[in-house]
Amino acid sequence: MKRIRRIVAWVLAVVLGVALVVGAAFVVSPVPSIMLFRNAFKEGHPVEPPRFDEVRRTVQVTRDQEYPSSYRRHTFDLYRPRRIPAHAALPVIVWVHGGGFIAGDKSGLSTYATLMAARGYAVIAMNYDYAPTGTYPTPVVQLGQMVSHVAAIAQRERLDPDRIVVGGDSAGAQIAAQFAAVQTTPGYAESSGIERIAMRAPLAGALLFCGPYDFTRFTDANAPWIQRWFMTTIGWGLLGTRDWASSPQMRQASVV
């Protein structure tokens, strides 16, 4: 009986020790929470509208190209109409995927990018580094690198570098909005510390779908606990500090 008690006590001690280590990991770093939430963002097969196969046949896709960047995730897919009028240059939509700043991939844009390309646009679906390795303002900087690369490949791919639209959904919308603010708002590049890139012509527009444009709303103490946990994970992971709620970066990223 004493031996059984010792075994039970040992097992309980091990379980308690593991629980304390795991709990401490969640307290000292945003990484464990990011891994949990990232798994929740895993996408299934994109929903395709009726007769999508007919649309797909009109579009050419070149996948997994690279744009110049020192960051790890710097690939993009280019969608274009198969038939382009002679001597024409296509207006360009550079799209930034969503995923809560911690997940997502350009492949999730395949359906939407195909639909836009079928309407006569060149659509670039880009990847970027996300938290915790891609801390703020890495994604915004990478969007600038991608837009700069459009001019470098414009002649080869028949793109019009004078007609560039940036767009994104969810986290991608915030990234696109902040890039647009840097490019178009006097003084914002200096105050945010994000370098404004040289462009031949101003941005033609921005397509912003459901983005978190006001980071101060992440600190809502009345939100459900799971939402507060998620927001704390994103804020800590993206802004790179546990005291993210009072950091100047949070206010700079609030493009409203």
Side-chain angles (χ1 to χ4, degrees):
M1 185 61 72
K2 289 183 179 179
R3 183 181 180 186
I4 293 176
R5 290 198 188 103
R6 285 198 298 270
I7 293 174
V8 171
W10 180 83
V11 170
L12 290 175
V14 170
V15 171
L16 180 59
V18 171
L20 288 173
V21 170
V22 171
F26 279 86
V27 171
V28 301
S29 169
V31 173
S33 294
I34 286 175
M35 295 300 108
L36 285 177
F37 285 117
R38 183 174 293 168
N39 187 65
F41 272 102
K42 287 185 177 179
E43 300 176 357
H45 186 71
V47 176
E48 297 179 352
R51 304 179 68 177
F52 182 70
D53 284 341
E54 296 178 16
V55 178
R56 187 176 6 230
R57 285 193 288 270
T58 69
V59 173
Q60 175 184 343
V61 187
T62 308
R63 303 187 190 278
D64 298 323
Q65 299 188 66
E66 294 187 352
Y67 61 92
S69 179
S70 61
Y71 299 104
R72 295 187 309 170
R73 303 182 78 245
H74 57 103
T75 56
F76 68 96
D77 298 336
L78 175 61
Y79 298 74
R80 295 177 301 173
R82 287 191 179 277
R83 294 184 179 181
I84 305 174
H87 309 297
L90 299 171
V92 183
I93 300 173
V94 180
W95 197 270
V96 189
H97 68 74
F101 303 99
I102 60 172
D105 188 81
K106 60 184 174 57
S107 60
L109 302 170
S110 59
T111 301
Y112 188 51
T114 298
L115 292 170
M116 289 193 289
R119 296 300 185 105
Y121 298 93
V123 182
I124 290 174
M126 62 171 286
N127 273 344
Y128 56 92
D129 263 10
Y130 35 62
T133 54
T135 54
Y136 173 88
T138 295
V140 184
V141 172
Q142 286 189 264
L143 176 51
Q145 293 170 339
M146 182 71 254
V147 171
S148 294
H149 189 56
V150 170
I153 63 174
Q155 185 173 3
R156 183 187 75 206
E157 304 292 354
R158 300 182 65 180
L159 311 179
D160 187 349
D162 293 336
R163 292 187 293 169
I164 298 178
V165 173
V166 293
D169 55 284
S170 191
Q174 188 280 332
I175 295 165
Q178 190 166 12
F179 173 77
V182 167
Q183 291 298 116
T184 61
T185 306
Y188 182 62
E190 290 77 10
S191 66
S192 66
I194 304 172
E195 186 175 353
R196 187 174 183 268
I197 68 166
M199 297 183 66
R200 294 196 344 172
L203 284 174
L207 300 169
L208 308 176
F209 289 178
C210 195
Y213 311 113
D214 185 359
F215 276 23
T216 62
R217 299 182 66 179
F218 284 15
T219 60
D220 183 5
N222 297 318
W225 72 269
I226 187 68
Q227 182 176 332
R228 283 185 279 113
W229 178 24
F230 176 68
M231 295 304 184
T232 297
T233 298
I234 299 305
W236 188 0
L238 179 64
L239 301 181
T241 174
R242 188 173 183 178
D243 191 26
W244 62 273
S246 59
S247 69
Q249 290 85 355
M250 187 191 73
R251 298 192 179 280
Q252 291 166 1
S254 297
V255 291
V256 293

